[in-house]
Amino acid sequence: MDLINKSELVYLLYHLPVALSTPFISWYFYNISGGDFLGAGLIISIPYIAFIFSTAFFGRLSDLIGSKNLVTFALSMQMVSFIVYYNISRPWLFFLAYIGFNVLISAFSPSMNRYISVTTEATNQSKQGDVFGRLTMWASLGFFLGSVLATVLLDSESQDFRPLFLAAIFFSFIALCGVILLDSEKKIGIKYPHQNPTRSATDIGIRSYITELKSIGILLILVLITQISVSLYSSFFTIFIDSELNQPVNYAAVANSVATLIGMGVSYTVGRSITAGFNKKGVILIGLAIYLVLPTLTFIFADNPIIVIGLYCIPAYSTFFVVAPVVISENTDSKVRGLAMGLYSAFTFGGQAIGTLISAYMADYFEVIKYNFLLAGIISLFGILIGFIFFKERVIDPKSANKDVYVDSSILA
């Protein structure tokens, strides 16, 4: 296997400029709102609410016109957005541009996930775990490199974002050039939008078909829960470092760098484990347990900067970022794969919107952020119960993509 393939390179390059700005948006909006938690929370959550609809739309559109076209569009908008951000000086114009461009850029995730899924399915569906594990690993490296650059370039004293945007423009351009290397679905032999379904309710039986839909539904609920939890934990984390721990805001970039570096190894291991036969329900429950433990310990040690930042360095995202696309790939027909990936992104952003709004109201009410961490842990506990009781997975025999069976994997966990 190549060290890094064409799709993984594009994924890496996309996440590098994202890491240059995303972790600091809450801190930036908090400062321009005059230290208002509610104002910052509302500003941050509005794009997430818009993404709920845009990602589902773009996911379905990728089924109809092909994923590569939308990936190209999204990366073009990413590059243009940073050019515009660099030239904007008024906060309200920056806010409007931030919403508009991110809605367009949101086409990337569902389209790229669909592209990876259907091109892998054309060769060997049983390798989906490996594929998405490696994809998350290289995304982590991109985020790591971006976080390192942000640590060096960000001037926390002057609150000047402009050097970050210049670097983001350059890497966005490189990512856009990388799309040229991607094969089209037609070249690989994938036809759309009128392709024959690979499986139907008649082929696999009505009961199994319902199990497929139920598995995806429960998975999306768990994605929503985890994203509410992680947003409570992370949406104001940079502000927490600055205002409550009295530490340089650059430490957030350092923590993100370490987390993504560790996440590379964890993501690859999770992908390999799924391909080797480790049940996906077990991976999901492990991920939910991590989302329970990290914020709870952060609340307990909220006055200790070393422990708090150290806990933030643990890559909780690695499990769901790998297992969710694999479950969706195994439980959907390729002609609606983009829509399913779009719904996955929609539930992700929906959870982030809800979590950010709750986080803002909590911080405003208590006038401190640390109680957000406690609530994040409690919410994840409910996720563990739902996942353990209701989630069932489809197990594929690696010797044959046609031999599959549904099991209540709680007996395997």
Side-chain angles (χ1 to χ4, degrees), residues 174-243:
I174 300 299
L176 182 59
C177 293
V179 180
I180 299 173
L181 302 175
L182 297 180
D183 296 324
S184 67
E185 291 101 312
K186 287 184 177 180
K187 181 178 179 180
I188 299 170
I190 298 168
K191 299 179 180 179
Y192 55 87
H194 302 297
Q195 59 194 21
N196 293 323
T198 55
R199 297 191 315 278
S200 66
T202 304
D203 295 333
I204 63 176
I206 297 297
R207 184 175 180 180
S208 294
Y209 187 68
I210 293 174
T211 304
E212 285 188 349
L213 299 179
K214 181 181 177 181
S215 296
I216 295 175
I218 296 299
L219 174 70
L220 293 179
I221 291 173
L222 295 178
V223 168
L224 182 73
I225 289 173
T226 58
Q227 292 306 308
I228 292 174
S229 175
V230 76
S231 293
L232 279 163
Y233 177 62
S234 65
S235 58
F236 286 162
F237 188 77
T238 308
I239 303 171
F240 181 73
I241 289 178
D242 184 27
S243 63

Side-chain angles (χ1 to χ4, degrees), residues 382-408:
F382 284 103
I384 292 175
L385 296 175
I386 293 172
F388 182 79
I389 296 171
F390 295 107
F391 183 79
K392 294 179 176 62
E393 68 174 281
R394 176 172 177 261
V395 178
I396 295 180
D397 183 352
K399 296 180 181 179
S400 174
N402 296 321
K403 295 179 180 179
D404 52 85
V405 62
Y406 292 89
V407 300
D408 181 352

